[in-house]
Amino acid sequence: MARSRKTPPNIPAIAEKLFGKPERRYLNRELSWLAFNARVIEEANNVRHPLLERVRFLSISASNMDEFFMVRVAGLNDQLKWDNPEPSHDGMSPAQQLTKILARAGELMQWQQESWLTLRAELAGQGIEVLDAAAFDEGALNESDMAWLKAYFFNNIFATLTPIAIDPAHPFPFLPNRSMSAIFDLRHQERGKRMIAVLPFPNKLGRFVKLPARHGKGAHPSSVRLVQTETLIQIFLDSLFPGYEVLASGTFRVLRDSDLEVSDEAEDLVRTYEKAVKDRKRGEVIRLKVARHMTPFLQRFVAEKLEVPPEYIIEVEGMLGLAALSELCDIDRPDLKFLPYTPRYPERISDFNGDCLAAIAAKDIVIHHPYESFDVVVQFLRQAAQDEDVISIKQTLYRTSNNSSIVKALVEAAESGKAVTAVVELSARFDEEANIRWARDLEHAGAQVVYGIVNMKTHAKISLVTKRIHKENGETSLKSYVHFGTGNYHPVTAKIYTDLSFFTCDPELCRDAAVLFNYLTGYAPPVGFSKLIMAPHNMRETFMALIDNEIAHARAGRPASIWAKMNALVDSQMMDALYRASTEGVKIDLVVRGVCCLRPGIKGLSENIRIKSIVGRFLEHSRIYCFGNGHAMPSNKARVFISSADWMNRNLSRRVEFMVEIENATVHEQVLDQIMAANMLDNLQSWEMDGDGHYARLQPGDHPFSAHEYFMTNPSLSGRGKALKQSFPSLRSGGVSGGGLMGYGAKPEASVNEKDKA
């Protein structure tokens, strides 16, 4: 029955009634990020995963934590220095946030160390031993082992080390970001003179040394013995400080403020970013991690020299720099890793003898990475570079690999005389140096290189190829091909990030893409779009209109629903719009991998909103937005969009982003009925969020379903060729182990690891 009320709900008033202050309708962004990293740590303890993959998850969680401090915590510290620091959208001051963040981060770091102890014991049970100093004291190594280690130390490590005595002639050394060092309190054995010395560990020095395999009775057939580099240095310390007695020692690790600040008035962006990157390496120390056994005297000495206040110091009981555990994942033990997966090459492309341009000209296609090969994107550009009839290539570059096949194709195209335009985004965090290098290479090849809009990051991933077509009557015309990607032009991350590559020859979308490139290169006003939706031009307004449309359907008594998949939900205007839609009866299902500041399931405010997060073998990265349009989901009448943008203020207001509606029926069915439906059904790698920001892992019940495994075993719809006739299992009802979307709401576990709820 249609509703009679026409006045829109007053969301701030409803929230104030439920929570007190209006700001309490949102969760804190930083605490939400820490909740995401807790889910990553949980995967390190998930026995469903192979053992070395669990080690990889722990390494990822540690790397995540480093970046969190280098960027987010550093930003809050900077805010404390302002006269009027702006509160977060949940109403907390920077100081209040830091208090809660540091407490929670401390709990998670302790959990990481506990997880490493568990994993280390399990690795030993599988023949992979990580030996510490205690193993040397207990005689776990024989004379042959010690001789080998001594030779290894002097041949591969000794020459890289630079012990530095701290005195008026030898100032305390500069220690780079993420570096680890040791400090020693020494006394000369003959003269009795005391000395403090610092030993920086080269960043490119590996953290683990692999001993030769043991043979003979009792040896594990695949045994691996490893010694941490810092342990090895400790064993042969006499060679670094001959004649000195070590009174005390300790290792420590430095994290520095790594955010870049670039003036809007910079005349030469490349030179400015080059300087900013160099300055970042010398940023203020934001976190000093010290081994717990370090004496108070040495700890104070390091803190004083690095100008680190006490609140920036954290004592670690265990291994410093857990991110280095990624080295263990290179051990050749396939039995302890995920089964190898080779991405499919879309049969549609093969039907055209590998001619990507011909396949795209015949019909729109979506490539679903990493299940389908990123090589399609590379071949698209490579073939365009080699095609004599291709006139121009326009490309945005945000992130790509060091030895980028994408950049090589663009260089080849420019050198062959094609008009190549590259919009290189210099401010892709931690990839600035690589981006500057690509820009130089492209300029040298003859490409036109621009850096987008000052003070507005170009985050859209678009490639536009224009080709001369020869007709039978001798005339020629121009045809354009466009690629829209939800991820980066990065062949390495494309193997682990789930993303979509949408290829089309739709004349209106191709013309819109050209308009967007004109805006990026010449500030031409982005007006006259036929189909393309762009931030900050009209994306937010489009989302608001789509949500209002669902509210109108709900009021009219028709089905009203929203399905959306994104990496982060932070924007307050979007959250208020979703709250408003929920109070009007719109059913909202969100898959938010990381940060989510909306409170779902609150009676009277968000009881129609369900939020889940998927964390597993692959990193969920694609952005998909679906609106029922008056029909029950999934429906071929629903409006389906893919985008480069998350629902964050920076994406919608301060970045150049794209959104494209999927109109081709096959691609529409693939994105909605296959990709989004599988995400909704997943109950093996899914966590459901409650209104307090806590997450509970779903129980699979009688119908276990993994979206990742489903995509690995079923070809995509638009990528199937003529030879592949079978259809994928229906996900609408009864097609997956007897389950289906009609009952996809698996119940969360009654309890989860209490560390995640602390």
Side-chain angles (χ1 to χ4, degrees):
M1 180 179 294
R3 298 188 179 192
S4 58
R5 178 167 56 87
K6 298 298 182 182
T7 303
N10 187 330
I11 297 304
I14 294 173
E16 186 170 4
K17 182 178 180 181
L18 290 169
F19 301 114
K21 292 183 178 180
E23 295 88 349
R24 295 292 297 156
R25 63 185 181 272
Y26 311 123
L27 296 165
N28 181 264
R29 170 179 173 161
E30 317 306 343
L31 292 174
S32 181
W33 185 93
L34 290 171
F36 162 67
N37 212 34
R39 299 194 293 280
V40 179
I41 300 172
E42 183 71 39
E43 293 309 301
N45 295 278
N46 185 350
V47 295
R48 288 186 63 250
H49 296 315
L51 184 54
L52 285 177
E53 301 297 346
R54 291 166 58 195
V55 173
R56 193 189 307 276
F57 276 113
L58 184 59
S59 167
I60 291 169
S61 76
S63 180
N64 287 348
M65 192 70 80
D66 283 350
E67 185 171 336
F68 179 73
F69 275 98
M70 288 154 52
V71 178
R72 301 302 307 175
V73 174
L76 287 171
N77 275 292
D78 286 343
Q79 287 186 45
L80 283 177
K81 301 172 185 175
W82 301 348
D83 292 335
N84 295 299
E86 184 178 346
S88 59
H89 62 198
D90 61 320
M92 282 199 285
S93 69
Q96 290 172 322
Q97 291 183 77
L98 281 169
T99 298
K100 292 192 174 185
I101 288 167
L102 296 180
R104 181 60 175 141
E107 294 168 354
L108 294 184
M109 286 187 280
Q110 178 61 33
W111 187 13
Q112 287 173 323
Q113 294 295 337
E114 293 169 4
S115 299
W116 168 230
L117 290 177
T118 300
L119 290 169
R120 181 176 166 181
E122 292 186 41
L123 287 168
Q126 292 293 329
I128 300 174
E129 295 182 89
V130 179
L131 305 174
D132 56 15
F136 288 75
D137 296 337
E138 295 165 3
L141 300 174
N142 58 31
E143 290 184 7
S144 176
D145 292 329
M146 293 301 297
W148 185 92
L149 284 172
K150 184 175 182 179
Y152 183 92
F153 174 78
F154 283 104
N155 291 333
N156 298 280
I157 297 177
F158 181 77
T160 71
L161 301 176
T162 306
I164 301 172
I166 308 301
D167 61 24
H170 301 85
F172 195 89
F174 171 75
L175 303 175
N177 188 27
R178 302 197 208 194
S179 66
M180 197 162 80
S181 306
I183 186 167
F184 304 95
D185 184 359
L186 305 167
R187 180 172 58 199
H188 197 277
Q189 292 173 336
E190 294 182 358
R191 297 191 300 271
K193 184 178 180 181
R194 297 277 291 269
M195 178 179 75
I196 301 296
V198 172
L199 182 66
F201 298 168
N203 273 354
K204 294 188 179 296
L205 195 64
R207 288 291 299 279
F208 296 93
V209 175
K210 182 180 176 182
L211 278 157
R214 276 183 175 170
H215 302 286
K217 186 177 180 180
H220 193 285
S222 301
S223 65
V224 175
R225 294 177 301 154
L226 301 142
V227 178
Q228 287 179 226
T229 303
E230 56 265 36
T231 300
L232 196 55
I233 292 171
Q234 186 74 28
I235 297 301
F236 298 107
L237 198 60
D238 288 348
S239 64
L240 295 168
F241 302 104
Y244 280 87
E245 175 189 2
V246 179
L247 302 177
S249 66
T251 50
F252 62 96
R253 188 165 180 264
V254 170
L255 291 180
R256 294 182 178 274
D257 183 339
S258 296
D259 219 2
L260 289 185
E261 293 186 10
V262 176
S263 170
D264 300 347
E265 305 301 321
E267 294 184 5
D268 186 330
L269 275 181
V270 174
R271 292 183 184 276
T272 300
Y273 269 98
E274 285 177 328
K275 182 180 183 303
V277 168
K278 291 178 181 178
D279 290 344
R280 179 171 65 190
K281 294 178 180 178
R282 307 190 69 88
E284 175 186 346
V285 175
I286 195 68
R287 183 76 14 186
L288 174 63
K289 293 186 177 182
V290 302
R292 183 154 289 170
H293 67 267
M294 183 185 289
T295 63
F297 166 70
L298 287 179
Q299 188 179 126
R300 287 194 302 271
F301 184 89
V302 173
E304 177 185 330
K305 295 299 182 182
L306 292 174
E307 298 180 349
V308 178
E311 60 269 24
Y312 285 16
I313 303 172
I314 183 166
E315 295 182 352
V316 176
E317 182 70 51
M319 179 180 169
L320 285 172
L322 287 171
L325 292 175
S326 60
E327 292 180 27
L328 301 185
C329 301
D330 294 331
I331 294 173
D332 186 20
R333 286 292 299 273
D335 57 313
L336 301 181
K337 300 179 183 180
F338 288 129
L339 290 174
Y341 177 71
T342 302
R344 293 184 298 272
Y345 196 84
E347 292 80 5
R348 269 280 313 284
I349 307 293
S350 300
D351 283 350
F352 288 86
N353 298 317
D355 188 335
C356 296
L357 299 184
I360 298 165
K363 191 178 182 182
D364 292 355
I365 183 173
V366 157
I367 310 298
H368 191 191
H369 312 300
Y371 313 104
E372 294 177 299
S373 177
F374 183 78
D375 193 51
V376 176
V377 181
V378 177
Q379 290 301 323
F380 169 70
L381 287 167
R382 186 174 291 157
Q383 290 171 12
Q386 296 171 355
D387 191 327
E388 293 182 357
D389 288 318
V390 167
I391 297 172
S392 67
I393 301 175
K394 298 183 179 183
Q395 176 84 41
T396 62
L397 286 171
Y398 184 68
R399 298 187 197 274
T400 188
S401 57
N402 287 330
N403 189 26
S404 172
S405 50
I406 297 290
V407 174
K408 286 181 179 178
L410 295 174
V411 167
E412 181 182 357
E415 290 177 341
S416 67
K418 293 176 173 59
V420 175
T421 301
V423 181
V424 178
E425 179 50 62
L426 294 178
S427 60
R429 183 175 289 133
F430 302 121
D431 280 329
E432 296 91 352
E433 289 177 279
N435 290 14
I436 291 169
R437 188 169 59 252
W438 308 330
R440 301 289 195 205
D441 292 344
L442 288 164
E443 285 178 331
H444 291 158
Q448 294 291 334
V449 178
V450 298
Y451 305 104
I453 309 299
V454 174
N455 202 34
M456 192 178 296
K457 185 178 292 187
T458 301
H459 194 247
K461 290 84 176 183
I462 303 176
S463 182
L464 178 65
V465 171
T466 301
K467 177 180 178 179
R468 182 183 293 109
I469 303 297
H470 299 275
K471 299 180 180 179
E472 293 182 0
N473 61 5
E475 296 181 355
T476 62
S477 62
L478 294 182
K479 189 176 188 67
S480 292
Y481 310 74
V482 65
H483 167 261
F484 296 100
T486 65
N488 303 308
Y489 290 100
H490 199 306
V492 177
T493 58
K495 295 178 181 178
I496 54 174
Y497 286 27
T498 71
D499 271 306
L500 301 180
S501 282
F502 175 49
F503 292 96
T504 182
C505 277
D506 183 302
E508 293 178 277
L509 281 175
C510 290
R511 189 189 72 84
D512 287 350
V515 171
L516 177 55
F517 275 106
N518 289 345
Y519 170 62
L520 293 173
T521 60
Y523 288 98
V527 296
F529 286 136
S530 297
K531 294 182 177 181
L532 188 66
I533 301 155
M534 172 193 153
H537 178 58
N538 63 344
M539 189 179 292
R540 183 187 297 277
E541 293 77 11
T542 300
F543 277 130
M544 292 298 179
L546 289 164
I547 294 171
D548 286 342
N549 189 50
E550 293 304 311
I551 291 173
H553 287 303
R555 287 182 170 183
R558 294 185 290 270
S561 57
I562 297 169
W563 287 4
K565 180 179 182 294
M566 66 199 80
N567 300 320
L569 172 53
V570 177
D571 185 84
S572 58
Q573 293 182 47
M574 294 302 304
M575 289 189 285
D576 283 352
L578 294 175
Y579 284 142
R580 183 162 52 86
S582 173
T583 62
E584 295 279 7
V586 179
K587 303 297 183 182
I588 302 168
D589 288 275
L590 307 177
V591 181
V592 185
R593 184 197 78 217
V595 176
C596 183
C597 298
L598 184 146
R599 296 176 176 271
I602 304 297
K603 188 174 181 180
L605 179 70
S606 58
E607 56 199 288
N608 288 311
I609 302 177
R610 177 176 181 254
I611 298 175
K612 66 188 295 190
S613 172
I614 297 177
V615 182
R617 175 173 182 172
F618 302 114
L619 181 80
E620 294 298 329
H621 193 254
S622 55
R623 291 91 165 184
I624 303 172
Y625 303 101
C626 310
F627 301 86
N629 199 29
H631 301 271
M633 291 277 231
S635 166
N636 56 8
K637 302 292 186 182
R639 299 190 68 182
V640 176
F641 302 82
I642 67 168
S643 179
S644 61
D646 293 311
W647 279 351
M648 303 178 72
N649 181 262
R650 70 185 189 192
N651 296 91
L652 301 177
S653 300
R654 303 193 308 275
R655 288 185 173 185
V656 177
E657 307 271 12
F658 82 85
M659 184 166 73
V660 170
E661 184 165 9
I662 302 299
E663 297 177 327
N664 176 276
T666 304
V667 178
H668 185 285
E669 186 178 358
Q670 177 184 348
V671 175
L672 182 61
D673 292 53
Q674 191 178 35
I675 296 172
M676 285 301 292
N679 274 267
M680 296 300 176
L681 281 168
D682 183 280
N683 52 32
L684 287 177
Q685 291 299 147
S686 290
W687 298 75
E688 187 163 354
M689 179 185 179
D690 68 17
D692 292 325
H694 297 148
Y695 288 79
R697 189 191 290 276
L698 293 183
Q699 287 188 7
D702 296 331
H703 303 295
F705 180 77
S706 164
H708 293 174
E709 292 174 9
Y710 171 79
F711 294 129
M712 291 169 68
T713 53
N714 289 280
S716 68
L717 284 174
S718 66
R720 292 181 303 170
K722 296 176 182 176
L724 203 60
K725 299 296 184 183
Q726 72 267 30
S727 62
F728 69 94
S730 171
L731 298 183
R732 289 203 183 189
S733 60
V736 182
S737 302
L741 282 174
M742 298 306 292
Y744 75 89
K747 300 298 183 184
E749 294 178 359
S751 63
V752 297
N753 196 314
E754 287 304 308
K755 291 182 176 67
D756 191 40
K757 282 198 153 187

